Amino acid sequence: LRAPEGRPPLRDAVRPHDRVVIVFSDITRPMPNDRVLPVLLDELSHVPDENIVLLNALGTHAPNSPEELESMLGAEIVRRYTIMQHDAWDEANLIDLGETPYGNRVRVNRTFYEATFKIITGFIEPHIFAGFSGGPKGVLPGVVAFDTIARNHGYEMLRHETVTWGHTDDNPVWQEMSAAARLARPDFLLNVTLNRHRQITNVFAGDLWRAHGEGGRFV
């Protein structure tokens, strides 16, 4: 976080008056939020707690219960910070950013988009149709509308033979996820890699594309 890829140190980049949104993975993912978020938030100690929102990247999944959130994030974080659970069907909190080159309309969480500093967290591993997890997947499917996800995960996209593990540049699903992230314009990425015991094996931070590219090569 203090020597990120293609970005200034996080503490220098975020101003005390910024409205910060941090996207985190939901309970269906093995992301060690309880170990990663405290370190991230410590680097943002100059920002008042009330200026920070933690946004649960549910995609189309069910909201996590208060008990689940506490087990995922830790009691101290749940007590201190505002936690929002993304709702892919909440029309009032979705903003239209236009279409991807594949004709899919991208509607993204309004609170996320309107923040003055947007941070995506997650982990990187091979993914059965996105190529790799992490990176732009924090936006799509994480915090977009149901119809945006349905189109991206539909047959017309998944039928291509390059939609498989480890493929990104020639993978239309990944390319559309990347297009959605470019429309949403996140400011900073923090991704980790894990082993089978959920131990952190490496950390990648900074510019979304540079940091995630390094993480993919490491994996």
Side-chain angles (χ1 to χ4, degrees):
L1 299 177
R2 295 176 185 174
E5 291 281 344
R7 289 285 186 269
L10 183 64
R11 184 179 290 272
D12 297 340
V14 181
R15 302 160 296 182
H17 61 273
D18 272 323
R19 291 176 290 109
V20 179
V21 170
I22 300 171
V23 174
F24 68 93
S25 302
D26 75 352
I27 202 168
T28 68
R29 302 293 183 255
M31 174 66 183
N33 290 304
D34 58 337
R35 284 175 278 153
V36 172
L37 291 183
V39 180
L40 174 62
L41 290 164
D42 188 58
E43 289 297 288
L44 301 176
S45 60
H46 60 299
V47 180
D49 291 356
E50 58 268 24
N51 286 13
I52 298 174
V53 172
L54 306 181
L55 177 59
N56 194 1
L58 290 165
T60 61
H61 301 162
N64 298 139
S65 68
E67 294 76 18
E68 288 172 331
L69 289 171
E70 189 166 310
S71 71
M72 292 159 54
L73 308 178
E76 175 69 9
I77 286 179
V78 171
R79 181 187 65 80
R80 283 185 59 181
Y81 297 98
T82 298
I83 297 173
M84 174 180 289
Q85 308 215 54
H86 174 65
D87 184 344
W89 294 269
D90 181 8
E91 297 293 335
N93 198 37
L94 292 168
I95 186 167
D96 193 330
L97 303 184
E99 291 187 352
T100 71
Y102 296 92
N104 189 1
R105 186 154 293 279
V106 176
R107 295 190 299 145
V108 70
N109 184 285
R110 183 182 296 274
T111 301
F112 171 73
Y113 185 73
E114 292 180 349
T116 59
F117 202 92
K118 301 184 278 291
I119 301 172
I120 296 176
T121 67
F123 72 102
I124 304 171
E125 69 176 3
H127 189 278
I128 190 169
F129 60 80
F132 287 98
S133 64
K137 285 185 92 267
V139 175
L140 188 145
V143 295
V144 296
F146 170 77
D147 53 345
T148 304
I149 299 168
R151 285 282 302 274
N152 179 258
H153 288 32
Y155 170 74
E156 285 302 315
M157 300 293 281
L158 298 183
R159 66 188 176 90
H160 298 273
E161 64 181 15
T162 54
V163 174
T164 188
W165 312 94
H167 285 259
T168 53
D169 291 343
D170 56 354
N171 181 336
V173 173
W174 173 264
Q175 290 301 310
E176 182 163 83
M177 290 173 173
S178 299
R182 289 188 175 93
L183 289 171
R185 300 200 299 270
D187 298 289
F188 199 90
L189 181 77
L190 173 56
N191 277 179
V192 298
T193 53
L194 308 171
N195 63 21
R196 68 184 64 192
H197 305 295
R198 291 184 71 231
Q199 295 169 321
I200 296 171
T201 57
N202 215 329
V203 181
F204 303 90
D207 172 75
L208 187 152
W209 312 109
R210 286 181 56 175
H212 190 269
E214 288 295 320
R217 283 187 285 274
F218 175 79
V219 169

